[in-house]
Amino acid sequence: MRLSGRFAYGLRVHGLDGVAELPPAHPGDDLPEVRIRQVTDGPPPAPVTLNHRYGARPLADGCRHLAVDRARRTATFHGPPLAADVLAHPYLAPVATAFNRWAGRETFHAGGFCGGRRGWAVAGPRTAGKSSLLAALAARAVPVLADDVLAVDGHDAFAGPRCIDLREPVPGAALPLRPARDGTRVRVPLPPVPHRVPLGGWFFLHWGDALRLDPVPPTELLARLAAWRSWRELPTDPATLLTLAALPAWHLTRPRDWATLDDVCRLLESVTTPTPELVAP
């Protein structure tokens, strides 16, 4: 009997059963499937730009390669072995971008949180402080949807692994923490959330001298989404981007000061009006 697998980013993931960061997939859900494998000896695969069937590339860690195969539904990591919790996060993220794009969905380098029965995307470059902001929201009991990749299907966004990894703890945030990635990060476990929620809008993070929230015009949002989607070599349905660009969006500017995080969280909560019903039983 085939196992139901684990859930992350809208996928049914096999090979990581029992990993706390990935909740069980619902047996009846029709989800794209992928099996995670590791190969620790032999030469790595030759690089191949992701196409409609296959892709292989070196990873940012400098010592591993990833090959994804659409027909076989496999994602194979070549190189030194990885612990299951590290495979779940962050190494599952590039797998998720490939298999979601193959499924006709869009993926973005963004996090997300839940508010007002909707999911809200939090986007910005790697130095924009997405994870620390999401951790601060989690400390206020705001459900966090995803930390590093936001997979979107039509109007809906999918939950990611149930954790956030930080370079350092967020000052003043009462959060459970444990070492992760050989002690180079601290991991914040996250409670369950619904696997799929309607997407409510977008927040784009910027650093500045004062806390501000400025609307993003739809035409600018459309250009941003077109540029920020993963694997732009693969085609997309223009109607999908138009649908996402019709959602409200804001530039969120805030100072580089831990002391302002509480004000930032209150501002986001006032705009998105979160409700406790989004926390899964």
Side-chain angles (χ1 to χ4, degrees):
M1 180 178 178
R2 189 168 189 178
L3 297 175
S4 62
R6 314 298 282 188
F7 176 90
Y9 304 118
L11 304 176
R12 188 182 303 277
V13 181
H14 301 281
L16 294 178
D17 296 288
V19 177
E21 287 80 359
L22 303 183
H26 299 148
D29 286 349
D30 183 16
L31 300 172
E33 296 189 62
V34 57
R35 180 166 294 279
I36 305 300
R37 307 190 306 179
Q38 295 195 72
V39 175
T40 58
D41 56 3
V48 175
T49 300
L50 186 72
N51 54 44
H52 290 283
R53 298 173 296 147
Y54 179 83
R57 64 184 178 96
L59 296 176
D61 63 16
C63 57
R64 296 178 181 86
H65 290 67
L66 170 64
V68 288
D69 190 306
R70 184 178 185 177
R72 295 180 178 177
R73 302 177 183 178
T74 57
T76 306
F77 291 89
H78 296 259
L82 289 160
D85 63 332
V86 179
L87 279 168
H89 182 72
Y91 282 84
L92 191 59
V95 177
T97 61
F99 279 85
N100 272 289
R101 293 292 286 116
W102 282 334
R105 302 167 175 171
E106 294 293 343
T107 60
F108 301 89
H109 178 59
F113 65 96
C114 298
R117 297 182 180 273
R118 293 183 179 275
W120 300 87
V122 178
R126 291 191 180 276
T127 57
K130 293 186 298 297
S131 294
S132 58
L133 175 56
L134 292 169
L137 287 166
R140 295 171 65 90
V142 175
V144 171
L145 188 64
D147 178 24
D148 54 357
V149 169
L150 194 68
V152 179
D153 184 15
H155 293 85
D156 294 341
F158 294 106
R162 299 291 79 216
C163 63
I164 300 171
D165 283 0
L166 304 171
R167 293 184 183 275
E168 57 182 318
V170 177
L175 291 166
L177 301 173
R178 67 176 179 84
R181 306 194 211 178
D182 294 325
T184 62
R185 300 290 191 277
V186 290
R187 177 159 292 187
V188 180
L190 296 174
V193 293
H195 288 182
R196 180 175 184 142
V197 296
L199 187 62
W202 305 83
F203 293 95
F204 293 93
L205 301 185
H206 304 272
W207 298 116
D209 295 331
L211 178 58
R212 294 182 50 183
L213 198 60
D214 300 304
V216 178
T219 52
E220 180 182 341
L221 178 58
L222 179 61
R224 278 177 173 265
L225 298 181
W228 280 46
R229 65 191 182 92
S230 305
W231 298 111
R232 293 190 295 275
E233 300 87 350
L234 299 180
T236 191
D237 181 357
T240 299
L241 289 183
L242 287 172
T243 296
L244 296 176
L247 297 173
W250 296 267
H251 293 292
L252 175 61
T253 305
R254 74 257 194 252
R256 290 179 180 267
D257 185 349
W258 289 115
T260 64
L261 264 179
D262 213 37
D263 292 334
V264 176
C265 291
R266 280 195 293 266
L267 179 60
L268 290 176
E269 290 176 76
S270 70
V271 173
T272 59
T273 58
T275 58
E277 287 84 352
L278 269 171
V279 179

